[in-house]
Amino acid sequence: MKQWNKKKMCFASMIVAVGVIGSNFYIPIGPAKCLPIQHMINVVGGILLGPAYSVAIAFLISTIRILLGMGTLLAYSGSMCGAFLCGFLYQKTKKKAFAYVGEVVGTGLIGAMLSYPIGTLLLGKEMALFGMVIPFCISTIGGTVIAGILMKIAPIPVDKEVFL
Protein backbone atom coordinates (compact mmCIF):
# COMPACT_ATOMS: atom_id res chain seq x y z
CA MET A 1 0.00 0.00 0.00
CA LYS A 2 1.18 3.48 -0.84
CA GLN A 3 2.52 5.49 2.10
CA TRP A 4 0.96 8.87 2.81
CA ASN A 5 3.69 11.50 2.71
CA LYS A 6 3.81 13.81 5.78
CA LYS A 7 4.67 16.90 3.73
CA LYS A 8 1.80 16.21 1.35
CA MET A 9 -0.58 15.68 4.26
CA CYS A 10 0.49 18.96 5.88
CA PHE A 11 0.04 20.89 2.61
CA ALA A 12 -3.30 19.16 2.01
CA SER A 13 -4.46 20.14 5.51
CA MET A 14 -3.54 23.75 4.87
CA ILE A 15 -5.48 23.92 1.63
CA VAL A 16 -8.47 22.20 3.28
CA ALA A 17 -8.44 25.08 5.78
CA VAL A 18 -8.22 27.61 2.94
CA GLY A 19 -11.12 25.84 1.21
CA VAL A 20 -13.34 25.93 4.27
CA ILE A 21 -12.56 29.58 4.96
CA GLY A 22 -12.96 30.39 1.25
CA SER A 23 -16.45 28.88 1.37
CA ASN A 24 -17.64 32.19 2.78
CA PHE A 25 -17.11 33.64 -0.71
CA TYR A 26 -19.70 32.19 -3.06
CA ILE A 27 -22.01 33.17 -5.87
CA PRO A 28 -25.58 31.86 -5.53
CA ILE A 29 -26.94 30.56 -8.84
CA GLY A 30 -30.18 28.63 -8.50
CA PRO A 31 -29.90 25.85 -5.91
CA ALA A 32 -26.10 25.83 -6.21
CA LYS A 33 -23.48 27.86 -4.41
CA CYS A 34 -20.72 28.57 -6.90
CA LEU A 35 -17.41 28.38 -5.08
CA PRO A 36 -14.51 29.38 -7.32
CA ILE A 37 -12.06 28.90 -4.41
CA GLN A 38 -13.00 25.19 -4.22
CA HIS A 39 -12.19 24.72 -7.88
CA MET A 40 -8.94 26.65 -7.57
CA ILE A 41 -8.01 24.25 -4.76
CA ASN A 42 -8.98 21.25 -6.91
CA VAL A 43 -6.55 22.38 -9.61
CA VAL A 44 -3.72 23.24 -7.22
CA GLY A 45 -4.19 19.98 -5.31
CA GLY A 46 -4.52 17.93 -8.49
CA ILE A 47 -1.31 19.34 -9.96
CA LEU A 48 0.84 19.45 -6.83
CA LEU A 49 -0.44 16.41 -4.93
CA GLY A 50 -2.12 14.06 -7.41
CA PRO A 51 -5.62 12.63 -7.75
CA ALA A 52 -5.86 10.74 -4.43
CA TYR A 53 -4.98 13.74 -2.31
CA SER A 54 -7.07 16.06 -4.47
CA VAL A 55 -10.19 13.91 -4.03
CA ALA A 56 -9.51 13.60 -0.29
CA ILE A 57 -9.19 17.39 -0.03
CA ALA A 58 -12.44 17.94 -1.94
CA PHE A 59 -14.21 15.36 0.23
CA LEU A 60 -12.98 16.93 3.48
CA ILE A 61 -13.88 20.48 2.44
CA SER A 62 -17.36 19.35 1.34
CA THR A 63 -17.92 17.39 4.55
CA ILE A 64 -16.80 20.25 6.79
CA ARG A 65 -18.98 22.71 4.85
CA ILE A 66 -22.01 20.44 5.23
CA LEU A 67 -21.36 19.93 8.95
CA LEU A 68 -21.07 23.69 9.44
CA GLY A 69 -24.31 24.29 7.52
CA MET A 70 -22.49 26.04 4.68
CA GLY A 71 -23.26 23.54 1.95
CA THR A 72 -25.48 20.75 0.69
CA LEU A 73 -24.84 17.25 -0.63
CA LEU A 74 -24.28 18.84 -4.05
CA ALA A 75 -20.88 19.86 -2.69
CA TYR A 76 -19.62 16.29 -3.15
CA SER A 77 -20.52 15.87 -6.80
CA GLY A 78 -19.57 19.48 -7.48
CA SER A 79 -16.02 19.08 -6.27
CA MET A 80 -14.81 15.48 -6.21
CA CYS A 81 -15.30 14.61 -9.90
CA GLY A 82 -13.31 17.62 -11.04
CA ALA A 83 -10.63 17.04 -8.42
CA PHE A 84 -10.12 13.46 -9.57
CA LEU A 85 -10.12 14.16 -13.30
CA CYS A 86 -7.81 17.15 -12.88
CA GLY A 87 -5.26 15.20 -10.84
CA PHE A 88 -5.53 12.09 -13.03
CA LEU A 89 -5.00 13.95 -16.32
CA TYR A 90 -2.08 15.93 -14.92
CA GLN A 91 -0.52 12.76 -13.52
CA LYS A 92 -0.76 11.04 -16.91
CA THR A 93 0.28 13.94 -19.16
CA LYS A 94 2.28 16.34 -16.92
CA LYS A 95 0.56 19.19 -18.78
CA LYS A 96 -1.28 21.84 -16.81
CA ALA A 97 -3.69 22.48 -19.69
CA PHE A 98 -5.03 18.93 -19.34
CA ALA A 99 -5.47 19.48 -15.60
CA TYR A 100 -7.49 22.62 -16.29
CA VAL A 101 -9.68 20.81 -18.82
CA GLY A 102 -10.08 17.91 -16.39
CA GLU A 103 -11.38 20.22 -13.68
CA VAL A 104 -13.87 21.93 -16.00
CA VAL A 105 -15.15 18.71 -17.58
CA GLY A 106 -15.12 16.77 -14.30
CA THR A 107 -17.05 19.42 -12.38
CA GLY A 108 -18.94 21.29 -15.09
CA LEU A 109 -20.30 18.25 -16.91
CA ILE A 110 -19.82 15.02 -14.95
CA GLY A 111 -20.32 16.52 -11.48
CA ALA A 112 -23.29 18.56 -12.67
CA MET A 113 -25.02 15.51 -14.11
CA LEU A 114 -24.30 13.49 -10.96
CA SER A 115 -26.03 16.26 -9.03
CA TYR A 116 -29.34 15.38 -10.68
CA PRO A 117 -29.97 12.14 -8.73
CA ILE A 118 -28.57 13.71 -5.56
CA GLY A 119 -30.83 16.74 -5.89
CA THR A 120 -34.00 14.91 -6.88
CA LEU A 121 -33.74 11.74 -4.80
CA LEU A 122 -31.88 12.85 -1.67
CA LEU A 123 -32.65 16.56 -1.42
CA GLY A 124 -36.15 16.42 -2.92
CA LYS A 125 -35.52 19.36 -5.26
CA GLU A 126 -37.10 19.60 -8.68
CA MET A 127 -34.25 19.78 -11.20
CA ALA A 128 -33.53 19.04 -14.84
CA LEU A 129 -30.82 16.54 -15.81
CA PHE A 130 -28.61 19.30 -17.24
CA GLY A 131 -29.91 21.96 -14.83
CA MET A 132 -26.69 22.26 -12.87
CA VAL A 133 -24.32 22.38 -15.86
CA ILE A 134 -24.39 26.17 -16.24
CA PRO A 135 -23.95 27.02 -12.53
CA PHE A 136 -21.22 24.40 -12.10
CA CYS A 137 -19.43 25.55 -15.28
CA ILE A 138 -19.49 29.18 -14.11
CA SER A 139 -17.99 28.14 -10.80
CA THR A 140 -15.35 25.80 -12.16
CA ILE A 141 -14.23 28.08 -14.99
CA GLY A 142 -13.78 30.95 -12.54
CA GLY A 143 -11.79 28.80 -10.13
CA THR A 144 -9.72 27.25 -12.90
CA VAL A 145 -8.77 30.68 -14.24
CA ILE A 146 -7.72 31.76 -10.73
CA ALA A 147 -5.68 28.55 -10.38
CA GLY A 148 -4.07 29.08 -13.78
CA ILE A 149 -2.95 32.55 -12.74
CA LEU A 150 -1.75 31.26 -9.37
CA MET A 151 0.20 28.39 -10.97
CA LYS A 152 1.79 30.86 -13.39
CA ILE A 153 3.02 33.27 -10.71
CA ALA A 154 3.67 30.78 -7.88
CA PRO A 155 7.31 30.02 -7.12
CA ILE A 156 6.51 26.29 -6.77
CA PRO A 157 8.36 24.18 -9.38
CA VAL A 158 5.58 21.81 -10.49
CA ASP A 159 7.92 20.10 -12.97
CA LYS A 160 9.84 18.45 -10.12
CA GLU A 161 8.62 16.28 -7.29
CA VAL A 162 7.97 18.92 -4.65
CA PHE A 163 6.92 16.65 -1.80
CA LEU A 164 9.57 13.93 -1.59
Side-chain angles (χ1 to χ4, degrees):
M1 186 162 112
K2 186 177 176 181
Q3 289 283 330
W4 290 88
N5 184 315
K6 289 177 188 171
K7 289 181 185 178
K8 282 186 175 184
M9 287 181 68
C10 183
F11 183 71
S13 299
M14 288 190 299
I15 60 177
V16 165
V18 169
V20 172
I21 293 167
S23 297
N24 291 315
F25 169 70
Y26 65 89
I27 305 159
I29 299 180
K33 288 182 178 179
C34 298
L35 297 154
I37 301 300
Q38 173 66 55
H39 305 292
M40 176 202 69
I41 287 171
N42 286 352
V43 173
V44 170
I47 290 173
L48 295 179
L49 302 173
Y53 279 93
S54 189
V55 170
I57 290 165
F59 176 80
L60 288 171
I61 292 171
S62 297
T63 302
I64 294 168
R65 285 182 48 229
I66 290 168
L67 292 173
L68 293 175
M70 297 166 50
T72 66
L73 293 176
L74 298 178
Y76 291 118
S77 61
S79 63
M80 293 173 62
C81 295
F84 171 75
L85 198 54
C86 170
F88 178 77
L89 290 177
Y90 184 77
Q91 188 178 55
K92 294 297 177 192
T93 64
K94 297 295 183 206
K95 296 188 185 299
K96 288 185 226 171
F98 283 99
Y100 303 149
V101 170
E103 170 60 25
V104 172
V105 170
T107 296
L109 298 176
I110 299 168
M113 290 188 3
L114 285 175
S115 292
Y116 174 73
I118 294 170
T120 55
L121 300 174
L122 298 176
L123 298 178
K125 299 203 182 238
E126 189 66 34
M127 340 172 51
L129 176 60
F130 295 100
M132 298 305 287
V133 171
I134 291 173
F136 280 24
C137 280
I138 291 169
S139 184
T140 190
I141 289 170
T144 302
V145 168
I146 294 168
I149 293 167
L150 182 65
M151 296 305 289
K152 191 76 166 169
I153 63 172
I156 301 170
V158 296
D159 309 7
K160 301 177 176 105
E161 185 64 42
V162 178
F163 299 101
L164 285 176

